[in-house]
Amino acid sequence: MEFADVARELLLVAPQDFVAERTARQRAVRRDDRALATAIGKLRKPAPAAWVIDLLAHDGALDDAVDLGPALRTAQADADPDAIRTLRRQRTEVVDALAQAGADLASDAGHPVTPAVLEQVRSTIEAAMADPHAGAAVRSGLLVTALESVGFDAVDLDGALADPDAVPDAWSGSDAPPIPISQARGARQASRASRAAQRDAPEPDAEPEPEPEPEPASDPAADRKAARQAETAARTESRDADAALDTAEADLEQAEERRAELQRALEQAEADITRLEAARDEAEAASDRARDVLHAAQEHRRRVGR
């Protein structure tokens, strides 16, 4: 199974059960696929609003909302006030209906959400309408953070997806497919090695400065590729940092669960000690009563024998 498929399943788990379920899935695949187990261990717990969006995406409920986006953007570009008013009214109705549907799904899953979370759900759906890349992100079922549309700027998708490379249509830099993370890391390591070599190389003897050469013409394709590599590298570092934080939180939760288990065991042991002490006291009392009865019987027999 691919990581994206596992992530989609785990992101539907109620927030209070996410860490335990993630740990269970990681252990289940560790023997057969250690790379997949590692990726599962780094999967971030979704924000509450993102969890609701993933529930809606799983039900296929977001398609109409996302499909309304191009018409609204066209109307805004054409400055058609009548079309804008009509489409905005439709947008409000769709967003409100989806927010209520998301609230119902969350309640059915045993984790009702607050009005503040529902407001983030609305903002995320509106962002999906405003930006086609955001639309692809919310429909993917891999969302881990809420989204927000600010003016006419592209929606910030950095760190928003559990597996960005599984959703190429959400690539925010251009229409080109995303650069694999392994390539981005290799480019970053090569760059560091190059800088280190330059730093350690001996300085050449001073020579007259050559005449400046004319700067080569800018290559737009190369510039876009470099920009995508830089964005991917930054995104990877951000994901690694978030994964490290989530791992630390998971370890802390497991330690707290273990402490709670030990505390329960200690309380049970103390209760057992109290029960055994009470049983001992009762046994001692019964023994004393039995000795008294025996003594009385022996005394009675001596009297009768006389």
Side-chain angles (χ1 to χ4, degrees), residues 121-134:
V121 170
R122 290 187 178 89
S123 297
T124 300
I125 298 171
E126 290 175 353
M129 294 178 172
D131 184 338
H133 301 297

